[in-house]
Amino acid sequence: MAATQFLGAFNDNLFKQLILLLATPTAAELAAGTGSDQQATAQIIFAAAFLIFSGVAGYVSDRFQKRTVVVTAKVAEILIMLLGFLGFFWYQHFGLAGLFTVLFLMGTHSAFFGPAKYGILPEMLRPSDLPRANGIFLMLTFLAIIFGTAAAGYLLKYSGGEIWIGSLACIAIAVLGTMTAIAVRAAPPAQPNLEHGWSSWGVPSEIIALLRRDRQLLAAIIVVSIFWMIGGIVQQTVNSLGKTQLQLGDERTSELAASIGIGIAVGCALGGYLSRGRVNRNVVVTGAIGLFVMLVVLALPGGEHQHLLGFYGSIPALILLGIFTGMFIVPVQVALQSRPPKEEKGRMIATMNQCTWVGIILGAIVYQACILILDAVGGPRSAIFAVSAVLMLPVAIFYRPQDEKLAEE
């Protein structure tokens, strides 16, 4: 399952970063008026698929074997990557609009994959093993993000305009991911008699009742939404910092984005180790405060290009940002997996996905508003890190999850 997730995350981030880099203008294009930042559009399109399909994906995850859902999603990924190859091949004809269509399909695939991939872990493991398992799972996920994000920049640089050649690798990786998915151990459906209704497309009444009863679960859902709203803003800001403000090439910009992934991989492993057998409140608080501090550091003005850290200073700062991110998110993810009853885990993860992507859409809107304001006043792109820090501050101050030991069996 971890191998399947690794390969899927690699493909997702390689493809999405290729589009985000194509959608990010260089400083010269911006000055000449020949380019505009369309990253927010890409993020909203990707997130819209999650909002539309996450609810029914949660129903499918609880109604059928999660392994069956995983394998089906991976087969669909092969077809979507084939369409992505055609989108790059005919980029001169269809442009970003064609790739945005494929991006929506990829979001749809990920919406169905999400509840099954996270919901299957509690079915395969003892509750006390969930923190370490999530640490390993998320560490491999963000290692995939590192490689996928970094590879995108080099593909754009060395493809000589023939990106479709490099995109053939995405098809091969999707095939390999399908093969690893077939090896995943099957478990019985969580609720085989679950009836389908209109509520399956939104938030089921049982999940609403569960969130009303369990305030810790509700708080975790809200915090995850805020976290991914900030994450969406930061990803776009790093791309814009590199290409537009620091005037770097695609490969250097992708190295900045990959630096966060390196840190998150370390932070997830650390968070899983420190949280072993329990939901550790101290790990969450440390991660949240560290996140806030590093966002402030990345926003500091000064020096060349109005950015104090510059390219080489930003790399260690982004790695530290990633470490605190991993420490923060692992215990929260464990709480969302361990607290719901077994028969509602898939729909709970689906609800989390919906709230997550509401946050990402809001993040895209905030990012676009910041871009418009900064362009109007001539401000640096790095100022958006300060906006992200302000959004993170209430979480760092007020969020204190319940520190609890997880069951052994």
Side-chain angles (χ1 to χ4, degrees):
M1 191 61 239
T4 303
Q5 166 64 359
F6 175 88
L7 294 166
F10 182 96
N11 253 2
D12 278 1
N13 285 277
L14 171 58
F15 187 77
K16 191 166 79 165
Q17 180 70 356
L18 282 171
I19 293 177
L20 290 177
L21 288 173
L22 289 171
T24 306
T26 63
E29 289 171 340
L30 201 63
T34 58
S36 61
D37 196 320
Q38 298 186 58
Q39 291 186 92
T41 303
Q43 293 281 28
I44 289 171
I45 288 171
F46 191 72
F50 276 85
L51 287 181
I52 295 169
F53 295 108
S54 281
V56 72
Y59 161 80
V60 169
S61 178
D62 283 338
R63 171 66 176 78
F64 302 100
Q65 276 193 1
K66 291 180 176 62
R67 175 186 176 275
T68 301
V69 179
V70 167
V71 173
T72 303
K74 298 305 293 182
V75 172
E77 184 184 338
I78 297 174
L79 301 177
I80 294 166
M81 289 300 122
L82 281 167
L83 288 176
F85 161 76
L86 295 175
F88 286 118
F89 187 79
W90 283 311
Y91 181 73
Q92 298 300 323
H93 298 286
F94 297 105
L96 281 174
L99 291 175
F100 283 168
T101 302
V102 181
L103 190 64
F104 179 83
L105 294 175
M106 192 175 75
T108 301
H109 147 268
S110 297
F112 280 91
F113 187 48
K117 74 180 179 185
Y118 285 116
I120 201 172
L121 293 183
E123 295 178 359
M124 299 170 70
L125 301 163
R126 295 175 300 180
S128 59
D129 289 331
L130 278 177
R132 283 177 294 174
N134 271 280
I136 294 169
F137 202 71
L138 290 171
M139 179 186 70
L140 289 172
T141 297
F142 285 103
L143 283 173
I145 292 173
I146 296 166
F147 295 132
T149 302
Y154 287 97
L155 274 177
L156 280 175
K157 180 180 180 180
Y158 295 111
S159 64
E162 305 292 342
I163 307 173
W164 59 272
I165 297 175
S167 70
L168 288 170
C170 295
I171 301 172
I173 293 165
V175 171
L176 184 59
T178 303
M179 294 170 64
T180 61
I182 291 171
V184 172
R185 177 163 55 89
Q191 203 169 346
N193 298 319
L194 183 63
E195 294 184 2
H196 181 271
W198 285 111
S199 64
S200 299
W201 289 84
V203 180
S205 56
E206 299 94 334
I207 299 301
I208 294 174
L210 174 62
L211 291 173
R212 284 175 176 168
R213 293 194 307 270
D214 193 333
R215 293 303 176 90
Q216 287 290 318
L217 203 54
L218 177 61
I221 283 279
I222 294 171
V223 165
V224 164
S225 301
I226 296 171
F227 171 81
W228 283 107
M229 175 178 68
I230 295 168
I233 296 171
V234 168
Q235 181 184 22
Q236 295 172 85
T237 305
V238 169
N239 286 334
S240 193
L241 170 70
K243 287 191 70 173
T244 307
Q245 185 173 342
L246 299 181
Q247 300 177 23
L248 303 171
D250 289 319
E251 76 283 0
R252 286 291 198 182
T253 300
S254 287
E255 287 171 9
L256 286 178
S259 297
I260 303 177
I262 293 171
I264 293 177
V266 174
C268 286
L270 185 60
Y273 175 77
L274 294 174
S275 301
R276 57 194 185 278
R278 57 197 281 240
V279 175
N280 193 323
R281 178 170 58 187
N282 292 334
V283 175
V284 176
V285 173
T286 301
I289 294 173
L291 258 171
F292 169 77
V293 171
M294 295 317 302
L295 287 169
V296 172
V297 169
L298 284 161
L300 294 175
E304 191 177 7
H305 303 299
Q306 302 182 66
H307 190 244
L308 185 62
L309 298 180
F311 172 73
Y312 291 104
S314 294
I315 288 179
L318 288 169
I319 290 174
L320 284 172
L321 178 72
I323 290 173
F324 288 121
T325 296
M327 291 178 62
F328 175 79
I329 198 60
V330 166
V332 180
Q333 185 77 43
V334 170
L336 286 167
Q337 288 176 336
S338 63
R339 295 185 73 90
K342 177 182 177 182
E343 65 275 8
E344 294 176 351
K345 289 186 188 295
R347 284 170 293 165
M348 186 70 250
I349 297 295
T351 300
M352 179 195 74
N353 282 342
Q354 287 173 307
C355 294
T356 291
W357 288 97
V358 167
I360 289 176
I361 287 177
L362 290 174
I365 293 170
V366 170
Y367 173 81
Q368 193 60 42
C370 290
I371 289 293
L372 293 174
I373 294 170
L374 291 172
D375 284 348
V377 302
R381 294 293 199 261
S382 54
I384 304 176
F385 287 120
V387 175
S388 302
V390 171
L391 294 172
M392 187 65 200
L393 185 57
V395 177
I397 294 174
F398 298 112
Y399 182 54
R400 299 293 183 269
Q402 182 177 326
D403 200 321
E404 57 182 340
K405 183 177 175 60
L406 298 172
E408 291 294 330
E409 298 295 339

